[in-house]
Amino acid sequence: MNAERGFTLLETLVAFAILSLSLGIILQIFSLSAQTSRSVEIQQRALAIAQSQIDQELAQLQLNEGEDRGRVDERFSWSSEIRRYQFPDQEGRINDQIQAYRITVSVRWDDSSEQALSLSTIRLQRQ
């Protein structure tokens, strides 16, 4: 008696179901990975723009209080603000010759208030 045994229809259906679920999960992982990678790339670009704007402000010999705005391309817009800064334990100037200024740069992308990044620094300046 030569009995050859193959897969039953039920075994084949279970194998296809497992394969389908596995492929669906793998595709979701790849999709999430691509979205995360794109999001990180955008945030790194925004960080580079903010750092560049702060560097430009720090390169000035004299800081003046005020605000400025601009666009880098269609996607990114930035705003900067320079204000006198008072340390929590100090009143007014540090001394008669030195004043602290806080520089804040915010970068937004996709014209959204939810998609934003801000950097701040403090610079001491002789008066």
Side-chain angles (χ1 to χ4, degrees):
M1 215 174 186
N2 192 3
E4 291 186 25
R5 179 153 157 73
F7 293 107
T8 65
L9 179 60
L10 182 58
E11 291 171 332
T12 305
L13 289 175
V14 169
F16 275 122
I18 292 171
L19 180 65
S20 298
L21 288 172
S22 299
L23 286 176
I25 291 170
I26 289 170
L27 288 175
Q28 284 181 342
I29 290 171
F30 281 136
S31 175
L32 183 60
S33 174
Q35 288 173 354
T36 303
S37 176
R38 180 69 180 142
S39 176
V40 167
E41 179 184 328
I42 290 170
Q43 289 177 2
Q44 285 179 333
R45 175 90 165 111
L47 181 61
I49 292 168
Q51 185 63 53
S52 175
Q53 292 302 320
I54 283 184
D55 289 345
Q56 286 182 18
E57 298 292 349
L58 291 173
Q60 295 180 24
L61 293 177
Q62 282 292 113
L63 290 178
N64 297 313
E65 287 188 285
E67 297 179 11
D68 197 8
R69 300 182 185 288
R71 290 193 75 83
V72 175
D73 54 31
E74 310 90 42
R75 182 165 223 175
F76 296 96
S77 62
W78 59 269
S79 62
S80 68
E81 178 181 51
I82 300 173
R83 296 285 179 241
R84 289 178 184 252
Y85 182 77
Q86 182 175 333
F87 291 99
D89 59 345
Q90 299 284 327
E91 292 183 19
R93 294 182 177 188
I94 295 172
N95 64 38
D96 289 340
Q97 297 176 353
I98 297 174
Q99 173 65 51
Y101 287 90
R102 181 176 182 163
I103 304 168
T104 303
V105 175
S106 297
V107 178
R108 300 190 187 292
W109 56 94
D110 295 335
D111 293 327
S112 170
S113 61
E114 296 173 7
Q115 304 291 332
L117 177 138
S118 292
L119 291 180
S120 293
T121 190
I122 296 174
R123 176 178 165 192
L124 301 178
Q125 175 175 292
R126 289 195 181 276
Q127 296 296 317

